[in-house]
Amino acid sequence: MRGPHDVGGLDDGPIDPAPHELGFWEKQIDGLRGVIGAKVIVTTHENRRYVESLGDDAYETLTYYERWTAALSRQMVDKGLLTQAEIDARVRVVRERLAASGELAPGAEDVKP
Amino acid sequence: MPHDHHDHDHPAHSPPQPDDKVHSYYQILGVALKELLIEKGIVTADEVRSAIEKRDQITPAHGAAVVARAWSDAGFRTRLLTDANAAVAELGYPMTTTRLVAVENTADVHNVVVCTLCSCYPRELLGLPPAWYKSRAYRARIVHEPRAVLAEFGTQLLEETEVRVHDSTADMRFLVVPRRPAGTESLDEAALAELVSRDSMIGVAVVRQP
C-alpha cells in the first residue's frame, strides 16, 4: 500500500513556482536537524521514515518543517534522549513565555496538534 | 491530528505568516526541543547557529561554478561524469555523506531531477531546495508527464529529445549539467557560471544564450 509520501507517478494539479523564503523557526529546525545528523544521532533514512509515519492526515495538513519538527520530537523520545512529559511541559512554558512577550499570534494560545 | 480548532486556514506548504508571530503548535514545539536538547548537552546553541550560517552561505553559485568548469575543462568534465564527488571536492565543495551523480544534457538527452518520496537534493551545491521541488505536485507528476511539467516551467523540448527523470534518495543526489549555449565561446569561466541557473541544474530549465 502506498504511504502518504509515496506520490511519484500520481496525478496532481499545476506546480506552484512561488519562492518560499524560510522563516526563522524553519531555519532553526533545519539547523537543529543538521547538527543531530552530523553527530550521527539520526540518519536521513530514519528522518524520512519518521516523517512518513506521522499518518496520512498529518502528512497532508502539516507544512514541510512542521512535519520535520513532529518527527524530531518522536525520534528524541524513541531514542530515550527526551521524554514526552518533559517535551509537553516545556511546550507549555514556551507558549506562556511567547504569550507574555506578545510573540504569540492571536488565536494561537490554545492550538494543539 | 485534526486542525479544526485553528482559526485560520492552514493548507499544506503554506508560507509562514508575514507578521513573524508564532502561529503553529509546531513552532512552539521546535523551540521546546531546541531548548531541551541544549540543556541536556546533546547539541549546543553554537553548533545550531553555525549549521544555519553554513547553510545560508551555500547558494546555487556553487553548482554553477561546477558546471562552468565542466564546460571549460574537458578533463574536469570527464572526472565530473565519472566520479562527481571527487570532482566537486576539487572545487572545494566536498559531499561526504551522499553519492553525487552528474548527468549531462546533450543534443539528444535532457535530464531532470526529483525526489519523489521527499526532498533529497544536492544541498552542498545548490543550497536548500525550492518549495516547488518539495511539493506534492512536482514529485507526483514529473515522473509520468515530464514534458508537461517542463512546459509549465517554460521549457519546451523537441519531440525527439529523450527525457530522463532521476529520482534522488537519501544516499544519492543528482546534478544536471545543462548544455552550454551557442555563442559563449569567448566567455571565461566566471562569465559562464553567471548564466547557469538553479533550475537548469535541477533540469526544469535550460541555459539561454546570453
Side-chain angles (χ1 to χ4, degrees), chain B residues 91-210:
Chain B
L91 298 194
Y93 308 131
M95 282 184 74
T96 54
T97 56
T98 54
R99 184 169 171 220
L100 177 68
V101 176
V103 287
E104 185 184 48
N105 289 347
T106 67
D108 304 317
V109 175
H110 182 90
N111 296 282
V112 60
V113 179
V114 65
C115 177
T116 60
L117 294 177
C118 187
S119 56
C120 281
Y121 188 73
R123 288 167 157 230
E124 293 86 343
L125 297 173
L126 302 183
L128 292 169
W132 59 258
Y133 184 85
K134 302 185 285 188
S135 72
R136 187 188 190 282
Y138 180 75
R139 289 158 47 206
R141 292 176 52 215
I142 190 69
V143 294
H144 75 98
E145 47 175 353
R147 286 171 196 277
V149 170
L150 291 173
E152 285 178 35
F153 283 91
T155 302
Q156 304 283 351
L157 298 178
L158 297 174
E159 197 55 44
E160 56 268 30
T161 303
E162 179 188 337
V163 183
R164 293 181 186 163
V165 182
H166 303 271
D167 197 355
S168 314
T169 72
D171 301 314
M172 192 183 294
R173 313 294 162 92
F174 296 93
L175 178 75
V176 174
V177 181
R179 292 181 72 195
R180 179 173 177 166
T184 57
E185 293 75 15
S186 63
L187 296 184
D188 65 13
E189 234 177 276
L192 287 171
E194 291 286 326
L195 303 178
V196 182
S197 67
R198 176 196 70 198
D199 287 2
S200 74
M201 294 181 279
I202 302 173
V204 295
V206 297
V207 178
R208 304 280 175 202
Q209 204 165 345

Side-chain angles (χ1 to χ4, degrees), chain A residues 42-52 75, chain B residues 169-171:
Chain A
V42 297
T43 68
T44 305
H45 292 282
E46 258 183 294
N47 284 331
R48 192 167 62 76
R49 178 77 189 127
Y50 269 82
V51 167
E52 290 163 9
Q75 283 172 310
Chain B
T169 72
D171 301 314

